[in-house]
DNA sequence: CGGTATCCTTTCGGATACTG
DNA sequence: CAGTATCCGAAAGGATACCG
Protein backbone atom coordinates (compact mmCIF):
# COMPACT_ATOMS: atom_id res chain seq x y z
CA UNK A 1 0.00 0.00 0.00
CA UNK A 2 1.40 3.32 -1.04
CA UNK A 3 0.95 6.75 0.42
CA UNK A 4 -1.15 7.88 -2.51
CA UNK A 5 -3.47 4.91 -2.14
CA UNK A 6 -7.06 6.07 -1.82
CA UNK A 7 -7.74 3.66 1.00
CA UNK A 8 -4.68 4.80 2.87
CA UNK A 9 -5.72 8.41 2.49
CA UNK A 10 -9.24 7.58 3.62
CA UNK A 11 -8.00 5.93 6.79
CA UNK A 12 -5.73 8.86 7.30
CA UNK A 13 -8.28 11.62 7.39
CA UNK A 14 -10.98 9.53 9.01
CA UNK A 15 -8.70 9.03 11.93
CA UNK A 16 -7.82 12.64 12.49
CA UNK A 17 -9.10 14.03 15.73
CA UNK A 18 -12.74 15.20 15.61
CA UNK A 19 -13.43 13.92 12.08
CA UNK A 20 -15.61 10.93 12.90
CA UNK A 21 -17.31 12.87 15.63
CA UNK A 22 -18.24 15.60 13.14
CA UNK A 23 -19.58 13.05 10.67
CA UNK A 24 -21.69 11.43 13.34
CA UNK A 25 -22.93 14.77 14.55
CA UNK A 26 -24.12 15.58 11.04
CA UNK A 27 -25.63 12.12 10.69
CA UNK A 28 -27.59 12.63 13.88
CA UNK A 29 -30.68 14.41 12.63
CA UNK A 30 -29.67 14.19 8.97
CA UNK A 31 -30.39 17.78 8.11
CA UNK A 32 -28.54 21.03 7.47
CA UNK A 33 -26.70 22.19 10.57
CA UNK A 34 -25.11 25.54 11.22
CA UNK A 35 -21.47 25.98 12.12
CA UNK A 36 -22.38 27.25 15.56
CA UNK A 37 -24.82 24.42 16.11
CA UNK A 38 -22.16 21.81 15.39
CA UNK A 39 -19.69 23.67 17.51
CA UNK A 40 -22.07 23.91 20.44
CA UNK A 41 -22.64 20.16 20.39
CA UNK A 42 -18.93 19.48 20.70
CA UNK A 43 -18.00 21.58 23.65
CA UNK A 44 -14.24 21.36 23.51
CA UNK A 45 -13.56 21.85 19.83
CA UNK A 46 -11.97 25.13 18.80
CA UNK A 47 -13.36 27.04 15.81
CA UNK A 48 -10.04 26.57 14.07
CA UNK A 49 -10.27 22.78 14.27
CA UNK A 50 -13.94 22.63 13.30
CA UNK A 51 -13.37 24.90 10.36
CA UNK A 52 -10.33 22.97 9.21
CA UNK A 53 -12.05 19.59 9.44
CA UNK A 54 -15.17 20.82 7.68
CA UNK A 55 -13.14 22.23 4.82
CA UNK A 56 -11.31 18.95 4.52
CA UNK A 57 -14.49 16.92 4.52
CA UNK A 58 -15.99 19.26 1.96
CA UNK A 59 -12.94 18.89 -0.27
CA UNK A 60 -13.31 15.12 -0.01
CA UNK A 61 -16.95 15.32 -1.01
CA UNK A 62 -18.17 13.92 2.28
CA UNK A 63 -19.81 17.10 3.50
CA UNK A 64 -21.57 19.84 1.57
CA UNK A 65 -21.73 23.47 2.53
CA UNK A 66 -24.47 25.98 1.88
CA UNK A 67 -23.98 29.67 2.58
CA UNK A 68 -26.67 32.30 2.56
CA UNK A 69 -25.01 35.67 2.56
CA UNK A 70 -28.31 37.48 2.06
CA UNK A 71 -29.03 36.70 5.65
CA UNK A 72 -27.47 38.80 8.31
CA UNK A 73 -25.68 37.65 10.30
CA UNK A 74 -24.33 35.24 7.71
CA UNK A 75 -25.77 31.75 7.80
CA UNK A 76 -23.69 28.76 6.78
CA UNK A 77 -24.92 25.18 6.91
CA UNK A 78 -23.42 21.76 6.48
CA UNK A 79 -24.73 18.27 5.91
CA UNK A 80 -23.49 14.89 4.76
CA UNK A 81 -23.48 14.18 1.05
CA UNK A 82 -24.59 10.83 -0.33
CA UNK A 83 -20.94 9.82 -0.23
CA UNK A 84 -20.76 10.88 3.39
CA UNK A 85 -23.88 8.97 4.36
CA UNK A 86 -22.39 5.89 2.76
CA UNK A 87 -19.55 6.15 5.22
CA UNK A 88 -21.83 5.38 8.14
CA UNK A 89 -21.88 1.60 7.50
CA UNK A 90 -18.08 1.67 7.40
CA UNK A 91 -17.97 3.28 10.82
CA UNK A 92 -20.52 0.73 11.97
CA UNK A 93 -18.09 -1.94 10.79
CA UNK A 94 -15.45 -0.63 13.13
CA UNK A 95 -18.02 -0.44 15.87
CA UNK A 96 -19.11 -4.06 15.39
CA UNK A 97 -15.55 -5.27 15.47
CA UNK A 98 -14.85 -3.30 18.62
CA UNK A 99 -17.97 -4.56 20.33
CA UNK A 100 -17.10 -8.13 19.39
CA UNK A 101 -13.60 -8.01 20.75
CA UNK A 102 -12.98 -5.05 22.93
CA UNK A 103 -15.80 -4.13 25.21
CA UNK A 104 -13.61 -3.36 28.12
CA UNK A 105 -15.06 0.07 28.57
CA UNK A 106 -18.43 0.30 30.32
CA UNK A 107 -18.96 3.83 28.99
CA UNK A 108 -18.99 2.36 25.52
CA UNK A 109 -22.22 0.98 24.18
CA UNK A 110 -23.91 3.64 26.26
CA UNK A 111 -26.00 6.68 25.46
CA UNK A 112 -23.05 8.91 26.24
CA UNK A 113 -21.18 7.75 23.24
CA UNK A 114 -22.16 9.05 19.82
CA UNK A 115 -20.71 6.14 17.94
CA UNK A 116 -22.32 3.63 20.23
CA UNK A 117 -25.74 5.09 19.61
CA UNK A 118 -25.29 4.33 15.91
CA UNK B 1 -18.00 10.02 21.36
CA UNK B 2 -15.44 10.32 24.08
CA UNK B 3 -11.71 9.87 24.02
CA UNK B 4 -11.93 6.64 26.00
CA UNK B 5 -14.46 5.20 23.57
CA UNK B 6 -13.28 1.84 22.28
CA UNK B 7 -14.29 2.69 18.75
CA UNK B 8 -12.47 5.98 18.90
CA UNK B 9 -9.34 4.27 20.15
CA UNK B 10 -9.62 1.63 17.45
CA UNK B 11 -9.82 4.25 14.74
CA UNK B 12 -6.94 5.99 16.36
CA UNK B 13 -4.39 3.22 16.25
CA UNK B 14 -5.63 1.76 13.00
CA UNK B 15 -4.88 5.05 11.38
CA UNK B 16 -1.36 5.43 12.62
CA UNK B 17 1.21 5.32 9.91
CA UNK B 18 2.23 1.78 8.85
CA UNK B 19 -0.35 -0.02 11.00
CA UNK B 20 -2.75 -1.17 8.30
CA UNK B 21 0.15 -1.99 6.06
CA UNK B 22 1.63 -4.26 8.72
CA UNK B 23 -1.70 -5.99 9.27
CA UNK B 24 -2.07 -6.61 5.55
CA UNK B 25 1.48 -7.82 5.27
CA UNK B 26 0.79 -10.40 7.97
CA UNK B 27 -2.51 -11.32 6.35
CA UNK B 28 -0.71 -11.95 3.08
CA UNK B 29 0.38 -15.53 3.44
CA UNK B 30 -1.30 -15.98 6.82
CA UNK B 31 1.65 -17.58 8.55
CA UNK B 32 4.34 -16.70 11.06
CA UNK B 33 6.65 -14.03 9.68
CA UNK B 34 9.96 -12.88 11.05
CA UNK B 35 10.73 -9.31 11.99
CA UNK B 36 13.27 -9.00 9.22
CA UNK B 37 10.92 -10.52 6.70
CA UNK B 38 8.22 -7.97 7.47
CA UNK B 39 10.76 -5.20 7.44
CA UNK B 40 12.18 -6.24 4.10
CA UNK B 41 8.74 -6.16 2.52
CA UNK B 42 8.21 -2.57 3.60
CA UNK B 43 11.29 -0.89 2.29
CA UNK B 44 11.02 2.50 3.92
CA UNK B 45 9.99 1.58 7.44
CA UNK B 46 12.58 2.06 10.17
CA UNK B 47 13.16 -0.68 12.75
CA UNK B 48 12.01 1.73 15.42
CA UNK B 49 8.63 2.21 13.78
CA UNK B 50 8.10 -1.45 12.97
CA UNK B 51 9.00 -2.47 16.48
CA UNK B 52 6.76 0.14 18.03
CA UNK B 53 3.76 -0.76 15.87
CA UNK B 54 4.18 -4.47 16.45
CA UNK B 55 4.33 -3.98 20.20
CA UNK B 56 1.19 -1.88 20.01
CA UNK B 57 -0.66 -4.42 17.93
CA UNK B 58 0.44 -7.16 20.27
CA UNK B 59 -0.81 -5.20 23.27
CA UNK B 60 -4.15 -4.79 21.50
CA UNK B 61 -4.37 -8.51 20.87
CA UNK B 62 -4.30 -8.10 17.12
CA UNK B 63 -0.90 -9.67 16.59
CA UNK B 64 0.84 -12.47 18.43
CA UNK B 65 4.55 -12.83 18.91
CA UNK B 66 6.61 -15.99 19.22
CA UNK B 67 10.27 -15.89 20.22
CA UNK B 68 12.71 -18.75 20.06
CA UNK B 69 15.82 -17.77 21.98
CA UNK B 70 17.29 -21.27 21.68
CA UNK B 71 17.97 -20.41 18.09
CA UNK B 72 20.95 -18.33 17.26
CA UNK B 73 20.66 -15.76 15.95
CA UNK B 74 17.44 -15.14 17.81
CA UNK B 75 14.28 -15.84 15.86
CA UNK B 76 11.12 -13.85 16.49
CA UNK B 77 7.91 -14.32 14.56
CA UNK B 78 4.60 -12.57 14.30
CA UNK B 79 1.16 -13.39 12.94
CA UNK B 80 -2.40 -12.14 13.18
CA UNK B 81 -4.57 -13.44 15.98
CA UNK B 82 -8.19 -14.40 15.43
CA UNK B 83 -9.07 -10.88 16.51
CA UNK B 84 -6.63 -9.51 13.98
CA UNK B 85 -7.98 -11.64 11.16
CA UNK B 86 -11.44 -10.38 11.98
CA UNK B 87 -10.19 -6.90 11.21
CA UNK B 88 -9.70 -7.73 7.56
CA UNK B 89 -13.40 -7.37 6.66
CA UNK B 90 -13.39 -3.98 8.35
CA UNK B 91 -10.51 -2.85 6.17
CA UNK B 92 -12.36 -4.29 3.20
CA UNK B 93 -15.26 -2.07 4.17
CA UNK B 94 -13.09 0.99 3.84
CA UNK B 95 -11.80 -0.37 0.57
CA UNK B 96 -15.28 -0.90 -0.85
CA UNK B 97 -16.33 2.59 0.09
CA UNK B 98 -13.23 4.05 -1.48
CA UNK B 99 -13.68 2.06 -4.67
CA UNK B 100 -17.32 3.11 -4.85
CA UNK B 101 -16.62 6.80 -4.50
CA UNK B 102 -13.04 7.67 -4.93
CA UNK B 103 -11.26 5.82 -7.63
CA UNK B 104 -9.41 8.82 -8.83
CA UNK B 105 -6.07 7.12 -8.47
CA UNK B 106 -5.07 4.71 -11.23
CA UNK B 107 -2.44 3.13 -9.02
CA UNK B 108 -5.24 1.99 -6.76
CA UNK B 109 -7.04 -1.20 -7.57
CA UNK B 110 -3.75 -2.41 -8.97
CA UNK B 111 -1.31 -5.11 -8.01
CA UNK B 112 1.01 -2.51 -6.58
CA UNK B 113 -1.30 -1.78 -3.75
CA UNK B 114 -1.54 -4.20 -0.84
CA UNK B 115 -4.97 -3.10 0.19
CA UNK B 116 -6.27 -3.26 -3.32
CA UNK B 117 -5.19 -6.87 -3.68
CA UNK B 118 -7.42 -7.73 -0.74
C1' DC C 1 18.90 -11.17 14.20
C1' DG C 2 15.84 -8.26 16.55
C1' DG C 3 15.63 -4.81 18.35
C1' DT C 4 16.98 0.21 21.58
C1' DA C 5 18.80 4.80 22.32
C1' DT C 6 19.45 9.29 20.95
C1' DC C 7 18.63 13.19 18.48
C1' DC C 8 16.24 15.95 15.38
C1' DT C 9 12.52 17.64 12.15
C1' DT C 10 7.90 17.94 11.05
C1' DT C 11 3.18 17.86 11.94
C1' DC C 12 -0.76 18.39 14.85
C1' DG C 13 -3.65 20.63 17.67
C1' DG C 14 -4.85 24.00 21.45
C1' DA C 15 -5.25 29.10 23.19
C1' DT C 16 -6.27 33.46 22.25
C1' DA C 17 -7.36 37.38 19.76
C1' DC C 18 -9.31 39.43 15.95
C1' DT C 19 -12.30 40.44 11.43
C1' DG C 20 -15.89 40.94 7.43
C1' DC D 1 -22.18 34.52 12.85
C1' DA D 2 -18.57 32.15 10.75
C1' DG D 3 -14.75 31.96 10.55
C1' DT D 4 -9.05 33.48 10.14
C1' DA D 5 -4.35 34.77 12.09
C1' DT D 6 -0.74 34.06 15.10
C1' DC D 7 1.80 31.79 18.34
C1' DC D 8 3.08 27.90 21.07
C1' DG D 9 3.67 23.30 23.15
C1' DA D 10 3.20 18.42 22.48
C1' DA D 11 3.53 14.45 19.88
C1' DA D 12 4.68 11.74 15.90
C1' DG D 13 7.91 10.01 13.05
C1' DG D 14 12.57 9.71 10.56
C1' DA D 15 18.01 9.10 10.64
C1' DT D 16 21.61 7.12 12.57
C1' DA D 17 24.23 4.50 15.62
C1' DC D 18 24.66 0.97 18.66
C1' DC D 19 23.77 -3.55 21.62
C1' DG D 20 22.81 -8.49 23.52
Amino acid sequence: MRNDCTVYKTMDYLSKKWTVMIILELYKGSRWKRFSEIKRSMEEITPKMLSERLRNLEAEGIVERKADSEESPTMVCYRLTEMGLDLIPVIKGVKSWALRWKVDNPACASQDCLVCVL
Side-chain angles (χ1 to χ4, degrees), chain A:
Chain A
M1 186 163 60
R2 317 138 60 115
N3 279 2
D4 64 348
C5 171
T6 313
V7 178
Y8 180 87
K9 289 192 297 185
T10 302
M11 301 283 294
D12 192 53
Y13 63 74
L14 276 190
S15 69
K16 284 205 168 25
K17 195 168 178 184
W18 303 112
T19 302
V20 170
M21 222 176 305
I22 292 169
I23 293 174
L24 294 178
E25 187 55 41
L26 288 174
Y27 178 62
K28 204 180 67 182
S30 294
R31 54 177 176 79
W32 291 102
K33 290 194 175 182
R34 306 184 63 153
F35 186 88
S36 52
E37 186 181 0
I38 303 167
K39 177 154 187 346
R40 219 174 318 114
S41 65
M42 311 195 297
E43 299 273 298
E44 304 124 288
I45 200 173
T46 61
K48 176 192 170 190
M49 275 299 104
L50 182 54
S51 162
E52 194 176 307
R53 292 297 181 263
L54 283 171
R55 268 186 288 113
N56 255 261
L57 289 169
E58 193 191 359
E60 291 292 343
I62 291 169
V63 155
E64 56 185 325
R65 179 178 186 273
K66 182 183 68 173
D68 185 353
S69 43
E70 308 294 278
E71 299 262 342
S72 175
T74 323
M75 154 130 130
V76 181
C77 288
Y78 298 88
R79 72 171 177 190
L80 294 180
T81 60
E82 198 189 342
M83 189 194 295
L85 278 169
D86 194 38
L87 215 39
I88 300 293
V90 176
I91 299 173
K92 284 189 182 175
V94 178
K95 179 199 171 187
S96 304
W97 178 86
L99 292 184
R100 256 198 308 289
W101 295 100
K102 295 209 152 273
V103 182
D104 46 2
N105 182 352
C108 260
S110 84
Q111 297 298 332
D112 291 354
C113 181
L114 249 188
V115 80
C116 294
V117 175
L118 261 187

